[in-house]
Amino acid sequence: MGGRGVSGLAALVTAAALALAGCQGGGGDGKAVQQTAPVTKAAPSTSAPKPEPSPASSSPSPVAEPTVVTISDHTGTAVGRAVAAARASGLRYAVYLQGTGASLDGGGRTASSWGAGEKVCEQIDDPADRTPSFDVAFVVARDGRDCDGRLLHTPEPTRTAAGGGTSGGSSGGTSGATSGGSRTCAITSPAGNCYADGQFCAGRHHGLSTYGKGGEYLTCEQDSAGRWRWSDGQAG
Protein backbone atom coordinates (compact mmCIF):
# COMPACT_ATOMS: atom_id res chain seq x y z
CA MET A 1 0.00 0.00 0.00
CA GLY A 2 1.36 3.39 -0.59
CA GLY A 3 1.70 6.18 1.99
CA ARG A 4 -1.51 7.55 0.81
CA GLY A 5 -3.41 4.49 1.86
CA VAL A 6 -1.99 4.56 5.39
CA SER A 7 -2.89 8.14 5.95
CA GLY A 8 -6.40 7.47 4.73
CA LEU A 9 -6.83 4.62 7.24
CA ALA A 10 -5.61 6.82 10.09
CA ALA A 11 -8.10 9.43 9.08
CA LEU A 12 -10.94 6.89 9.22
CA VAL A 13 -9.92 5.72 12.71
CA THR A 14 -9.75 9.30 13.97
CA ALA A 15 -13.17 10.08 12.53
CA ALA A 16 -14.65 7.00 14.16
CA ALA A 17 -13.19 7.99 17.52
CA LEU A 18 -14.59 11.49 17.25
CA ALA A 19 -18.00 10.17 16.30
CA LEU A 20 -18.00 7.89 19.29
CA ALA A 21 -17.05 10.74 21.61
CA GLY A 22 -19.79 12.93 20.13
CA CYS A 23 -22.46 10.37 20.85
CA GLN A 24 -21.45 10.19 24.51
CA GLY A 25 -20.94 13.94 24.95
CA GLY A 26 -24.27 14.89 23.46
CA GLY A 27 -23.04 18.38 22.78
CA GLY A 28 -20.17 17.61 20.53
CA ASP A 29 -17.88 19.79 22.66
CA GLY A 30 -16.01 16.86 24.24
CA LYS A 31 -17.31 17.55 27.76
CA ALA A 32 -18.69 14.60 29.64
CA VAL A 33 -22.36 14.85 30.45
CA GLN A 34 -23.25 13.74 34.02
CA GLN A 35 -26.33 11.61 33.94
CA THR A 36 -28.81 11.89 36.83
CA ALA A 37 -31.17 9.26 38.04
CA PRO A 38 -34.83 9.95 37.27
CA VAL A 39 -36.71 11.51 40.22
CA THR A 40 -39.58 9.39 41.42
CA LYS A 41 -42.51 11.42 42.75
CA ALA A 42 -44.07 10.20 46.03
CA ALA A 43 -47.57 8.88 45.65
CA PRO A 44 -50.21 11.16 47.18
CA SER A 45 -51.37 10.10 50.65
CA THR A 46 -54.70 8.31 50.63
CA SER A 47 -55.32 8.62 54.41
CA ALA A 48 -58.26 10.84 55.44
CA PRO A 49 -57.36 14.17 57.07
CA LYS A 50 -57.69 14.24 60.83
CA PRO A 51 -60.82 16.12 61.97
CA GLU A 52 -60.30 19.37 63.74
CA PRO A 53 -61.18 19.20 67.46
CA SER A 54 -64.58 20.75 68.05
CA PRO A 55 -64.59 23.69 70.45
CA ALA A 56 -66.17 23.13 73.84
CA SER A 57 -69.81 24.03 74.06
CA SER A 58 -70.33 27.48 75.50
CA SER A 59 -73.87 26.76 76.75
CA PRO A 60 -74.07 26.39 80.55
CA SER A 61 -74.92 23.02 82.03
CA PRO A 62 -78.51 22.76 83.29
CA VAL A 63 -78.85 23.31 87.01
CA ALA A 64 -80.73 20.57 88.82
CA GLU A 65 -83.82 21.67 90.69
CA PRO A 66 -83.47 21.40 94.49
CA THR A 67 -85.28 18.44 95.94
CA VAL A 68 -86.38 17.64 99.45
CA VAL A 69 -86.66 14.19 100.95
CA THR A 70 -90.26 13.13 101.43
CA ILE A 71 -91.82 10.74 103.91
CA SER A 72 -94.59 8.21 103.44
CA ASP A 73 -98.16 9.46 103.38
CA HIS A 74 -99.58 9.67 106.92
CA THR A 75 -103.11 10.65 105.93
CA GLY A 76 -105.50 8.89 108.29
CA THR A 77 -102.88 8.19 110.95
CA ALA A 78 -102.22 10.04 114.21
CA VAL A 79 -100.59 13.45 113.79
CA GLY A 80 -98.16 12.67 116.63
CA ARG A 81 -96.78 9.79 114.60
CA ALA A 82 -96.60 11.92 111.44
CA VAL A 83 -94.72 14.70 113.23
CA ALA A 84 -92.26 12.18 114.68
CA ALA A 85 -91.55 10.84 111.17
CA ALA A 86 -90.90 14.36 109.87
CA ARG A 87 -88.51 15.10 112.72
CA ALA A 88 -86.64 11.83 112.18
CA SER A 89 -86.11 12.78 108.52
CA GLY A 90 -84.92 16.29 109.40
CA LEU A 91 -87.85 17.95 107.63
CA ARG A 92 -89.48 21.24 108.49
CA TYR A 93 -93.11 20.52 109.27
CA ALA A 94 -96.25 22.48 110.00
CA VAL A 95 -99.72 21.56 111.26
CA TYR A 96 -102.66 23.37 109.71
CA LEU A 97 -106.37 23.41 110.42
CA GLN A 98 -108.68 21.81 107.92
CA GLY A 99 -110.78 24.11 105.77
CA THR A 100 -108.48 27.15 106.09
CA GLY A 101 -106.85 26.89 102.63
CA ALA A 102 -103.51 25.29 103.41
CA SER A 103 -101.53 24.62 100.22
CA LEU A 104 -98.09 25.00 98.61
CA ASP A 105 -99.17 28.43 97.37
CA GLY A 106 -99.56 29.74 100.91
CA GLY A 107 -102.58 30.35 103.08
CA GLY A 108 -103.99 28.21 105.80
CA ARG A 109 -104.14 28.73 109.53
CA THR A 110 -101.67 26.87 111.68
CA ALA A 111 -102.97 24.90 114.64
CA SER A 112 -101.90 26.48 117.92
CA SER A 113 -102.10 23.06 119.59
CA TRP A 114 -103.23 19.56 118.80
CA GLY A 115 -103.58 16.20 120.42
CA ALA A 116 -101.04 13.56 119.41
CA GLY A 117 -103.89 11.15 118.68
CA GLU A 118 -105.73 13.47 116.29
CA LYS A 119 -106.11 12.13 112.78
CA VAL A 120 -104.22 13.62 109.83
CA CYS A 121 -106.88 14.70 107.32
CA GLU A 122 -104.38 15.54 104.57
CA GLN A 123 -100.62 15.58 104.02
CA ILE A 124 -99.00 18.23 101.82
CA ASP A 125 -95.50 17.39 100.55
CA ASP A 126 -93.11 19.95 99.04
CA PRO A 127 -90.38 17.93 97.25
CA ALA A 128 -89.51 20.82 94.90
CA ASP A 129 -89.06 23.25 97.82
CA ARG A 130 -91.69 25.67 96.51
CA THR A 131 -92.61 27.17 99.86
CA PRO A 132 -90.26 28.33 102.62
CA SER A 133 -92.90 27.56 105.25
CA PHE A 134 -92.48 23.79 105.38
CA ASP A 135 -91.16 20.63 103.74
CA VAL A 136 -94.25 18.70 104.76
CA ALA A 137 -97.52 19.87 106.29
CA PHE A 138 -100.22 17.93 108.11
CA VAL A 139 -103.83 19.10 108.12
CA VAL A 140 -105.97 18.26 111.14
CA ALA A 141 -109.64 18.85 111.78
CA ARG A 142 -110.74 21.96 113.61
CA ASP A 143 -112.10 21.46 117.09
CA GLY A 144 -115.69 20.38 116.97
CA ARG A 145 -115.48 19.32 113.30
CA ASP A 146 -114.44 16.28 111.31
CA CYS A 147 -112.07 16.11 108.34
CA ASP A 148 -114.92 17.08 106.01
CA GLY A 149 -115.64 20.19 108.05
CA ARG A 150 -118.90 18.87 109.48
CA LEU A 151 -119.84 19.80 113.03
CA LEU A 152 -119.29 17.13 115.63
CA HIS A 153 -122.47 17.29 117.61
CA THR A 154 -122.83 14.24 119.80
CA PRO A 155 -126.50 13.30 119.88
CA GLU A 156 -128.15 13.37 123.26
CA PRO A 157 -128.67 9.89 124.70
CA THR A 158 -132.23 8.66 124.54
CA ARG A 159 -133.94 7.26 127.61
CA THR A 160 -135.03 3.67 127.54
CA ALA A 161 -138.53 2.65 128.55
CA ALA A 162 -137.37 0.29 131.29
CA GLY A 163 -135.43 1.53 134.27
CA GLY A 164 -135.28 5.13 133.16
CA GLY A 165 -131.65 4.70 132.11
CA THR A 166 -130.00 6.02 129.02
CA SER A 167 -128.70 4.36 125.92
CA GLY A 168 -125.46 5.54 124.47
CA GLY A 169 -125.77 7.66 121.37
CA SER A 170 -123.23 7.51 118.58
CA SER A 171 -120.85 10.41 118.21
CA GLY A 172 -120.44 12.34 115.02
CA GLY A 173 -116.66 11.86 115.20
CA THR A 174 -113.95 10.81 117.60
CA SER A 175 -110.51 11.97 118.54
CA GLY A 176 -109.37 8.79 120.22
CA ALA A 177 -110.04 9.83 123.82
CA THR A 178 -112.45 7.68 125.80
CA SER A 179 -114.46 8.68 128.81
CA GLY A 180 -114.77 6.79 132.04
CA GLY A 181 -117.79 4.97 130.59
CA SER A 182 -118.10 3.17 127.29
CA ARG A 183 -118.82 6.29 125.28
CA THR A 184 -116.19 8.19 123.31
CA CYS A 185 -115.45 11.89 123.64
CA ALA A 186 -116.12 13.55 120.30
CA ILE A 187 -114.53 16.81 121.44
CA THR A 188 -111.36 16.91 123.54
CA SER A 189 -109.03 19.48 125.01
CA PRO A 190 -105.78 20.46 123.22
CA ALA A 191 -104.04 17.90 125.43
CA GLY A 192 -106.35 15.19 124.13
CA ASN A 193 -108.41 14.81 127.33
CA CYS A 194 -112.15 14.59 127.70
CA TYR A 195 -113.85 17.62 129.23
CA ALA A 196 -115.62 17.58 132.58
CA ASP A 197 -118.79 19.21 133.79
CA GLY A 198 -118.14 22.86 134.68
CA GLN A 199 -114.99 23.36 132.58
CA PHE A 200 -114.79 26.43 130.41
CA CYS A 201 -115.28 25.76 126.72
CA ALA A 202 -113.78 27.55 123.74
CA GLY A 203 -115.70 29.88 121.48
CA ARG A 204 -115.53 27.37 118.63
CA HIS A 205 -117.45 24.90 120.81
CA HIS A 206 -120.41 27.13 121.62
CA GLY A 207 -123.59 25.10 121.27
CA LEU A 208 -121.79 21.80 120.68
CA SER A 209 -122.24 18.66 122.74
CA THR A 210 -119.99 15.77 123.68
CA TYR A 211 -119.51 13.12 126.34
CA GLY A 212 -117.44 14.03 129.38
CA LYS A 213 -114.90 12.19 131.50
CA GLY A 214 -117.52 10.27 133.41
CA GLY A 215 -119.62 9.45 130.37
CA GLU A 216 -122.05 12.29 131.08
CA TYR A 217 -123.60 14.23 128.21
CA LEU A 218 -122.19 17.80 128.14
CA THR A 219 -123.16 20.85 126.16
CA CYS A 220 -121.13 24.04 125.80
CA GLU A 221 -123.60 26.67 127.01
CA GLN A 222 -123.72 29.83 129.09
CA ASP A 223 -124.07 29.64 132.84
CA SER A 224 -126.01 32.13 134.99
CA ALA A 225 -123.10 34.57 134.84
CA GLY A 226 -122.94 34.44 131.04
CA ARG A 227 -119.73 32.37 130.90
CA TRP A 228 -119.50 29.47 128.49
CA ARG A 229 -118.99 26.14 130.26
CA TRP A 230 -119.48 22.48 129.63
CA SER A 231 -122.64 21.52 131.44
CA ASP A 232 -124.60 18.32 131.96
CA GLY A 233 -127.78 20.40 132.36
CA GLN A 234 -128.04 19.81 136.10
CA ALA A 235 -127.31 22.35 138.79
CA GLY A 236 -124.36 21.77 141.07
Side-chain angles (χ1 to χ4, degrees):
M1 294 175 54
R4 187 174 180 181
V6 173
S7 61
L9 180 60
L12 289 174
V13 172
T14 302
L18 290 174
L20 180 62
C23 291
Q24 292 178 353
D29 55 359
K31 294 182 180 179
V33 177
Q34 184 177 2
Q35 295 182 353
T36 59
V39 179
T40 303
K41 294 184 179 180
S45 174
T46 58
S47 60
K50 295 182 178 180
E52 293 292 331
S54 58
S57 175
S58 58
S59 59
S61 301
V63 179
E65 291 292 332
T67 56
V68 176
V69 177
T70 58
I71 58 176
S72 59
D73 189 7
H74 284 75
T75 301
T77 64
V79 67
R81 180 179 177 184
V83 167
R87 287 175 177 169
S89 299
L91 300 179
R92 295 170 300 154
Y93 67 89
V95 179
Y96 287 91
L97 296 176
Q98 186 273 339
T100 60
S103 70
L104 290 177
D105 298 323
R109 182 155 55 96
T110 57
S112 58
S113 61
W114 61 87
E118 289 187 53
K119 183 173 70 174
V120 175
C121 299
E122 179 187 0
Q123 178 172 315
I124 305 173
D125 295 301
D126 185 20
D129 204 17
R130 284 176 52 186
T131 174
S133 301
F134 56 80
D135 297 325
V136 59
F138 308 109
V139 179
V140 297
R142 290 170 288 170
D143 283 347
R145 297 180 182 270
D146 60 14
C147 283
D148 294 325
R150 296 187 294 257
L151 286 172
L152 296 177
H153 183 85
T154 303
E156 186 174 2
T158 56
R159 293 185 176 277
T160 60
T166 59
S167 60
S170 60
S171 62
T174 64
S175 62
T178 57
S179 66
S182 60
R183 302 185 184 94
T184 304
C185 305
I187 302 175
T188 60
S189 69
N193 300 319
C194 297
Y195 286 103
D197 181 33
Q199 279 188 284
F200 290 107
C201 48
R204 58 182 174 273
H205 293 154
H206 291 178
L208 298 182
S209 299
T210 185
Y211 289 107
K213 290 181 179 179
E216 67 275 28
Y217 182 76
L218 303 175
T219 300
C220 178
E221 57 188 11
Q222 289 179 298
D223 61 12
S224 58
R227 293 169 297 190
W228 290 88
R229 295 177 181 269
W230 291 106
S231 173
D232 61 1
Q234 299 179 8

